[in-house]
Amino acid sequence: MDSIWSKPPRVFRDLREFLAHLESRGELKPIDAPVSPALEITEISRRVLAKRGPALLFTNASPRGVRVLANLFRSEEHTSELQSLRHLVCR
């Protein structure tokens, strides 16, 4: 059975390569400022998503250096491109 998703234009080796691809197209915005994972990340992500903004990578979400990726599934196009990473999850 054919998939309802369009075939992605390329296959990415891993999530890092996909994120670099998004960043090169201006579709990933790194947020380097310290943010609270309990109070700020959800609200910032919600506001950006409501304006159809880019995916967000919070690089300073805790004192331990935890990074948080948000709004990755923000459009059908991104979801379709993410299908090319499916092979990494299915191992």
Side-chain angles (χ1 to χ4, degrees), residues 10 12 17-28:
R10 67 183 272 197
F12 300 96
E17 184 179 359
F18 180 66
L19 294 180
H21 171 72
L22 290 182
E23 191 167 15
S24 74
R25 292 180 4 186
E27 297 178 6
L28 175 68

Side-chain angles (χ1 to χ4, degrees), residues 6-60:
S6 61
K7 187 171 181 164
R10 67 183 272 197
V11 175
F12 300 96
R13 289 181 310 211
D14 55 24
L15 184 58
R16 285 186 181 107
E17 184 179 359
F18 180 66
L19 294 180
H21 171 72
L22 290 182
E23 191 167 15
S24 74
R25 292 180 4 186
E27 297 178 6
L28 175 68
K29 172 71 175 159
I31 308 291
D32 298 323
V35 294
S36 165
L39 301 173
E40 296 174 304
I41 289 179
T42 302
E43 183 59 21
I44 294 167
S45 299
R46 185 190 66 76
R47 289 181 186 196
V48 170
L49 186 61
K51 293 181 179 183
R52 297 188 180 268
L56 303 172
L57 180 61
F58 295 93
T59 60
N60 197 3

